[in-house]
Amino acid sequence: MNEVNYKETAEIVSNDLRLKTFPVAVKFLKRKNELPEKTRMPSVVLGKRVTICQAVTMTRIYGWTVGLTKEDLVCVPAMIAFGFSSAAEPADSLAALFCEVEFASDKEQALKEAQTIIRLKSSEYEAILLAPLQKASF
């Protein structure tokens, strides 16, 4: 799709679904230097790390183009899922976390849940780009 189609698509989605916020486009980038020039990085702009949910909210409510690297995220499950973690056994790490925060009652149940989460290879991508669909050039 070209930029005009993104705008049209965003308008159709927003109107048909009666969205109160912007639909969000997402792209995983091999290298963080591929982030567009005016991308807002939470660790730089806000001086703190955020969860993936907060970054999506910044995009859908404020209309910001947001870039995320492992330096910008604080959400451990998201970091593991996106391959931003150095965990040797990602499923085991997630299972341990699920038990620790009481998302699961035992290690077996937690491991079963953790194994259902799709995980990207470690260091496969260095950044995630979020933008309102109508502004997305990707």
Side-chain angles (χ1 to χ4, degrees), residues 20-95:
K20 294 182 181 181
T21 61
F22 301 109
V24 177
V26 179
K27 183 175 183 179
F28 286 83
L29 304 173
K30 294 280 185 190
R31 303 286 163 246
K32 51 181 143 185
N33 65 2
E34 296 175 44
L35 289 165
E37 190 176 321
K38 294 184 179 182
T39 301
R40 290 187 168 110
M41 309 289 291
S43 61
V44 176
V45 175
L46 304 174
K48 57 179 70 181
R49 296 173 144 200
V50 298
T51 64
I52 186 68
C53 307
Q54 289 170 316
V56 169
T57 298
M58 289 175 205
T59 301
R60 66 183 188 82
I61 290 178
Y62 303 135
W64 292 358
T65 297
V66 177
L68 300 171
T69 65
K70 65 181 176 182
E71 294 80 23
D72 295 290
L73 285 173
V74 70
C75 179
V76 174
M79 291 176 71
I80 290 172
F82 298 146
F84 291 170
S85 166
S86 59
E89 296 295 329
D92 290 340
S93 297
L94 280 171

